[in-house]
Amino acid sequence: MSTGFDPDIAEWLRRRAEDPTAADASVEGARRHSLAVNERSLALLPDPPVPFAEHATVLETASGPVPALVVEPGPRPAEAAVAFFHGGGWIAGDLRTHRQHMRRLAVGTGAAVIGVDYRLAPEHPFPAAFDDCLAATLHLAAARTGPLAVAGDSAGGQLAASVALACRDRGVELAGQLLVVPVTDATGGYADPDVNALYPSRAERADGHGLTLAGMRWFTELYRPPGRGDDWRVSPLRAADLAGAAPAAIHTAGFDPLRDEGGAYAAALAAAGVPVVHREWPTLNHGFFGLGGVSATADRAARQAAADLSTLLTPARRVAG
């Protein structure tokens, strides 16, 4: 199998760079660009997953109201549920940019997917996003009786991983965690050469394939985690103990600066005795989860991610490592 960069995604990135929203380097520009390119990628899906129903709601959590979108796969309320946290570097993305991600997971798993509209930086810096995602997950765990998992991509993958650790510490059992191209170690804000050297993909894939290392520095600066950014609520790989975390499925991409920290988190979970399935897609880039209409391989990878999440939600089908 070829390990070169997927040519369909390479062409997609070229056309994406020509979108009028790409020229605005402000936070608001990043938000507009995120919405525009996600709408363009959605329009390319030949057969997009269509759930039975979806509706906006507000989760009245113990910490206050948190807006959310509920995606139901069938006419009857699903027993299993997934708390989904969107990507976007903690500053961009929302339930519009990631609606099709949630639909794919709902249809692919048969579970209700609840997308959490957490607060964004820089208006709401660390730990606002984590606090909202944890509050929403605890609310769902108390309100529902069936299996509950967490899932997310990129910064949302980090939030899912950190929320899974917080749930473990609170005695809240999760069925699993799906982490797609996750941030796992923001120590040093992606600017510390010693930390960056731990993850060769940061240098090997620093530019040219969508997400850049410079972009990760910018995102982290705006999110403003304390100190060097080694707090486990933003860097789950730096947690003192990973034992007892929910079983995990972790998907990484070969042409992603975050590839190696995602792989390191999978290895660290496994070393701590946590059941883990780690899949690396060597020809894909950081944004593959939303590019099913662009690349056949990206579509296959996204389908596999949904299948892995379905397995986590069905204990009898789990594969331990």
Side-chain angles (χ1 to χ4, degrees):
M1 181 177 67
S2 172
T3 56
F5 189 40
D6 187 302
D8 293 325
I9 296 180
E11 173 60 17
W12 159 258
L13 291 176
R14 186 192 66 76
R15 288 185 281 114
R16 191 184 79 171
E18 296 172 351
D19 190 279
T21 61
D24 188 344
S26 69
V27 171
E28 286 303 319
R31 292 171 180 169
R32 285 191 292 270
H33 185 58
S34 177
L35 181 59
V37 299
N38 276 279
E39 287 179 343
R40 289 178 63 169
S41 65
L42 173 59
L44 295 173
L45 279 170
D47 186 23
V50 180
F52 179 78
E54 51 193 50
H55 65 274
T57 189
V58 176
L59 305 177
E60 297 295 345
T61 79
S63 302
V66 178
L69 178 71
V70 180
V71 181
E72 287 283 1
R76 296 182 178 179
E79 178 183 3
V82 178
F84 179 81
F85 314 130
H86 66 80
W90 308 287
I91 72 160
D94 56 28
L95 301 183
R96 296 170 299 169
T97 63
H98 283 65
R99 189 182 299 262
Q100 196 58 44
H101 299 56
M102 292 182 280
R103 289 172 175 171
R104 182 184 286 277
L105 292 179
V107 172
T109 64
V113 175
I114 299 92
V116 178
D117 196 10
Y118 60 85
R119 290 169 292 169
L120 298 177
E123 296 90 341
H124 304 282
F126 174 91
F130 169 82
D131 288 346
D132 287 354
C133 292
L134 177 58
T137 304
L138 295 177
H139 174 83
L140 293 170
R144 304 183 69 99
T145 59
L148 174 65
V150 292
D153 67 307
S154 192
Q158 174 272 304
L159 290 165
S162 296
V163 165
L165 293 175
C167 285
R168 173 205 62 184
D169 293 345
R170 287 163 172 76
V172 174
E173 183 177 0
L174 295 177
Q177 51 181 319
L178 171 66
L179 315 178
V180 179
V181 293
V183 174
T184 68
D185 190 0
T187 306
Y190 293 86
D192 185 313
D194 293 331
V195 177
N196 287 346
L198 299 174
Y199 311 110
S201 59
R202 293 188 181 182
E204 294 169 5
R205 310 303 189 200
D207 199 1
H209 305 98
L211 179 69
T212 67
L213 188 63
M216 286 305 306
R217 286 197 296 269
W218 185 56
F219 295 149
T220 309
E221 288 170 1
L222 291 171
Y223 191 39
R224 300 205 301 273
R228 300 189 66 243
D230 57 358
D231 189 304
W232 62 271
R233 293 173 295 172
V234 70
S235 296
L237 188 53
R238 298 287 175 153
D241 181 16
L242 299 177
I250 299 177
H251 286 238
T252 54
F255 287 82
D256 179 6
L258 304 187
R259 178 194 68 204
D260 292 344
E261 65 189 85
Y265 194 59
L269 286 172
V274 177
V276 180
V277 171
H278 175 209
R279 304 188 194 277
E280 183 170 303
W281 301 92
T283 66
L284 299 183
N285 71 335
H286 183 77
F288 78 79
F289 195 52
L291 298 181
V294 173
S295 157
T297 304
D299 184 64
R300 184 166 67 252
R303 290 177 186 272
Q304 183 63 61
D308 289 341
L309 181 56
S310 181
T311 298
L312 291 173
L313 287 164
T314 311
R317 295 172 54 201
R318 281 186 193 157
V319 178

